[in-house]
Amino acid sequence: MHPLRSWLPILSWLPKYRVRYLQMDLLAGLTVGLTTVPQALAYAEVAGLPVQYGLYSAFMGGFIYTLLGTSKDVTLGPTAIMSLLCFSVVGGQPHRAVLLSLLCGVIQAAMALLRLGFLLDFISYPVIKGFTCAAAVTIGFGQVKNILGIRDVPHQFFLEVYDTFHKIPEARVGDVILGLVCLALLITLMFIKSHPGSDHGSSLYSRFARKLVWAVATMRNALVVVAATLVAFSWDAFGHHVFTITGHTTQGLPPFSPPPTSDTTSNGTVVSFREIIEDFGGGLAVIPLMGLLESIAIAKAFASQNNYRIDANQELLAIGMTNIMGSFVSAYPITGSFGRTAVNSQTGVCTPAGGIVTSVIVLLSLAFLMPAFYYIPKASLAAIIICAVAPMVDYRVVIKMWKMHRLDLLPFGVTFLLSFWEMQYGIIGGVAVSGALLLYAMARPKMKVSDHDVLVIELSSGLSFPAVEHLSHFIHTQALQTCPPRSVVLDCHHVSIIDFTVISELTDLLRQFKLRKVKLVFSGLQPAVLKVLLAADLQGFRYTDSVEEALQIDSASD
């Protein structure tokens, strides 16, 4: 592939573009756009930002990803998890959220250019599931206050739970009724979409009816928000303020300007760029990694489903550049959205150009519809968020881990519980526990021992410096310190790499075997390992191709 095409994938598919592709991309882009607008407004609430910031964050991805993305299905924009992480780091301060987007983008683009995508491999599946489950619970419960219409509830999870229940008597009847009705409608439409009914009907009418039902169910968020807004506007017009509404929003497109690199507190104190970075803390590492992980996982899933391949490193670059450019239009950090990507794929999108249509719809909403957003009830947005995050609470994965590998429940549990304290601590704690389990497995490799007059030790995994002390101790206690001392055959056919620490310990072991007039024989050495051991010029070093040959050598010497 030409180097320019590898950096700009649009050059690969644009020359092959067809009119039929345009029709499908327009339909998919329109459908996703009608899903994106209400979700973006709702996710801005999760991030603790004015609702227009959700839309500011929702349109740049469509343009950038069309140029740089390698998946036809992926849509970039605000998501529930990234919104929650953003809030946990910046606490609902718009200027800092925009700066965070720039810094995340720089980190992600740098990782792409330096080919550091492998770092994502150290975030294990149990950590991801623990985090997403905790995030779903935190986000979902955080919207209960908006369903109830209660105010002044703290954002810290445990305090939020206490205050929400404590203030139930203050709930507003209008918000509760509207919120529950919106939830019921959304759940019903979700059920209809997932159970479309029989396809046996072949008449034109039945096919049209199924398509109409599918379209209504797909655009359920937009329909519910529009209906709720009309209800709120009607009551307000007659002087009955029974709903908590979004209120004033900034109209028009955001200015294109560099993000602020300093901040000013309410008392006039200037906060420097360095101090802001210090305040971001570990979030500056967690958010870029989680953004990349979420988007690449989605891209891989849909690439596999639709039979094409993606370039993971190019995906890193696309997300990074979207966050960098997004910061110039007041966006907060974004990533791939599973729900909107699924809608995009199911609608039949053919190329990433569908994202341009979605972005245009968001821009039109910013330009012309912001006054109408004044009347959007917060309860309707809360219902959308709750329905969006509910499927993320996956209890079945706990059952699977219990059946398959119970030790995986440890990083899952640590991540899940710590995430209720601070989101980034959950990720960091889970990765630390996963790393500790990985290191422990390296330091304590399983050994299969058999007795053939001599002791045969088969290493079931590699041999590296954390494991050599354990192996040495085992050989001393089972062979050298017995009476009489025993010879040992070390079956190394699983060992593919060896380091200086291992060689040093083996040198001492060979010396101990020689002093006790017994033998240590190596068998099944791979060529690369054998080459290193021969270069080390170990005194008393013996090796054979198989365990059987080693046992014959020992028998012959006896």
Side-chain angles (χ1 to χ4, degrees):
M1 182 182 289
H2 192 277
L4 188 59
R5 287 190 176 185
S6 66
W7 289 107
L8 287 173
I10 188 175
L11 298 178
S12 297
W13 58 261
L14 188 60
K16 306 172 188 174
Y17 204 75
R18 301 288 181 269
V19 174
R20 181 175 60 86
Y21 296 171
L22 178 61
Q23 294 171 342
M24 298 308 296
D25 287 346
L26 283 171
L27 176 62
L30 176 63
T31 308
V32 174
L34 293 175
T35 305
T36 299
V37 171
Q39 281 194 343
L41 297 171
Y43 291 149
E45 289 274 342
V46 176
L49 302 170
V51 292
Q52 65 266 23
Y53 280 85
L55 296 177
Y56 294 165
S57 307
F59 67 83
M60 187 59 76
F63 296 116
I64 300 295
Y65 196 82
T66 299
L67 294 173
L68 301 177
T70 59
S71 168
K72 72 179 181 66
D73 299 300
V74 167
T75 62
L76 300 181
T79 65
I81 288 179
M82 291 302 285
S83 299
L84 180 63
L85 282 171
C86 180
F87 176 79
S88 71
V89 172
V90 304
Q93 300 179 66
H95 288 168
R96 294 197 178 193
V98 174
L99 178 59
L100 181 63
S101 178
L102 173 66
L103 296 174
C104 287
V106 169
I107 292 170
Q108 291 165 334
M111 288 179 65
L113 296 173
L114 296 174
R115 307 282 175 176
L116 296 179
F118 71 91
L119 292 175
L120 301 176
D121 299 337
F122 288 94
I123 304 179
S124 65
Y125 186 74
V127 172
I128 296 168
K129 295 305 292 185
F131 173 76
T132 53
C133 287
V137 173
T138 302
I139 294 167
F141 193 86
Q143 297 306 310
V144 172
K145 63 180 181 290
N146 289 327
I147 295 284
L148 299 176
I150 56 180
R151 301 177 181 177
D152 301 322
V153 176
H155 292 287
Q156 207 282 331
F157 180 74
F158 297 107
L159 295 176
E160 186 176 49
V161 171
Y162 174 80
D163 265 37
T164 299
F165 283 107
H166 182 69
K167 292 186 176 183
I168 285 179
E170 302 175 18
R172 301 181 61 174
V173 176
D175 285 323
V176 173
I177 293 174
L178 183 64
L180 292 177
V181 169
C182 289
L183 276 173
L185 282 172
L186 288 167
I187 292 169
T188 302
L189 290 171
M190 286 171 67
F191 180 81
I192 290 173
K193 185 178 179 182
S194 59
H195 299 79
S198 174
D199 288 335
H200 296 308
S202 57
S203 69
L204 181 63
Y205 174 78
S206 63
R207 290 199 300 270
F208 175 76
R210 282 198 301 272
K211 288 182 179 180
L212 180 62
V213 169
W214 183 88
V216 170
T218 299
M219 295 182 286
R220 59 187 178 273
N221 292 335
L223 295 174
V224 165
V225 167
V226 169
T229 302
L230 291 174
V231 170
F233 175 76
S234 301
W235 280 85
D236 199 71
F238 286 102
H240 302 291
H241 307 293
V242 295
F243 305 113
T244 304
I245 58 178
T246 300
H248 176 73
T249 54
T250 302
Q251 186 175 356
L253 303 179
F256 189 87
S257 60
T261 54
S262 62
D263 202 3
T264 305
T265 61
S266 55
N267 61 7
T269 305
V270 176
V271 183
S272 68
F273 178 73
R274 180 177 178 179
E275 290 172 319
I276 294 174
I277 297 296
E278 290 173 355
D279 288 343
F280 287 167
L284 205 52
V286 170
I287 293 181
L289 287 177
M290 284 307 298
L292 295 175
L293 193 68
E294 192 174 355
S295 191
I296 290 176
I298 292 167
K300 286 183 176 179
F302 282 88
S304 174
Q305 176 181 310
N306 295 322
N307 301 314
Y308 62 89
R309 293 188 63 81
I310 63 158
D311 181 343
N313 209 66
Q314 185 66 23
E315 292 294 302
L316 302 189
L317 183 63
I319 301 165
M321 290 306 299
T322 299
N323 276 320
I324 290 172
M325 296 306 297
S327 70
F328 285 79
V329 291
S330 302
Y332 67 88
I334 58 89
T335 185
S337 164
F338 185 86
R340 296 194 295 273
T341 299
V343 170
N344 207 26
S345 177
Q346 290 165 8
T347 315
V349 71
C350 294
T351 70
I356 295 177
V357 182
T358 299
S359 297
V360 169
I361 291 173
V362 174
L363 289 171
L364 291 174
S365 300
L366 279 166
F368 302 110
L369 297 180
M370 293 307 287
F373 295 159
Y374 178 92
Y375 291 100
I376 295 178
K378 288 193 173 184
S380 65
L381 297 179
I384 288 172
I385 293 169
I386 291 171
C387 288
V389 300
M392 291 162 53
V393 183
D394 187 3
Y395 65 90
R396 290 168 297 185
V397 75
V398 177
I399 299 171
K400 288 180 181 178
M401 282 190 278
W402 177 262
K403 290 179 178 178
M404 297 178 186
H405 192 230
R406 294 178 184 178
L407 204 58
D408 281 336
L409 288 170
L410 184 58
F412 174 89
V414 168
T415 305
F416 182 78
L417 294 175
L418 282 181
S419 292
F420 291 117
W421 177 25
E422 285 286 349
M423 281 292 142
Q424 57 264 41
Y425 294 164
I427 293 288
I428 293 169
V431 170
V433 171
S434 292
L437 293 175
L438 181 64
L439 291 173
Y440 182 82
M442 290 175 61
R444 295 293 181 270
K446 292 181 180 179
M447 293 182 287
K448 183 179 178 182
V449 181
S450 54
D451 196 334
H452 300 270
D453 293 330
V454 301
L455 207 61
V456 178
I457 302 175
E458 179 185 342
L459 298 171
S460 60
S461 60
L463 182 61
S464 54
F465 70 90
V468 69
E469 181 60 35
H470 174 65
L471 174 65
S472 178
H473 177 75
F474 184 85
I475 290 175
H476 270 87
T477 55
Q478 299 298 317
L480 294 177
Q481 294 176 4
T482 59
C483 189
R486 308 181 65 187
S487 295
V488 171
V489 175
L490 201 60
D491 186 353
C492 300
H493 70 272
H494 287 302
V495 179
S496 60
I497 191 169
I498 200 166
D499 57 44
F500 186 78
T501 305
V502 174
I503 292 173
S504 298
E505 190 63 37
L506 291 178
T507 302
D508 183 65
L509 277 174
L510 287 168
R511 186 173 59 83
Q512 295 294 331
F513 272 89
K514 185 176 181 181
L515 287 173
R516 289 165 175 77
K517 299 182 178 179
V518 286
K519 293 185 289 295
L520 172 61
V521 181
F522 298 82
S523 72
L525 291 168
Q526 296 186 21
V529 176
L530 178 59
K531 182 179 178 181
V532 173
L533 290 174
L534 290 174
D537 195 23
L538 302 176
Q539 291 191 0
F541 172 63
R542 299 183 183 185
Y543 67 94
T544 62
D545 291 333
S546 65
V547 172
E548 291 74 17
E549 289 182 35
L551 294 175
Q552 290 173 5
I553 290 175
D554 187 76
S555 301
S557 61
D558 288 344

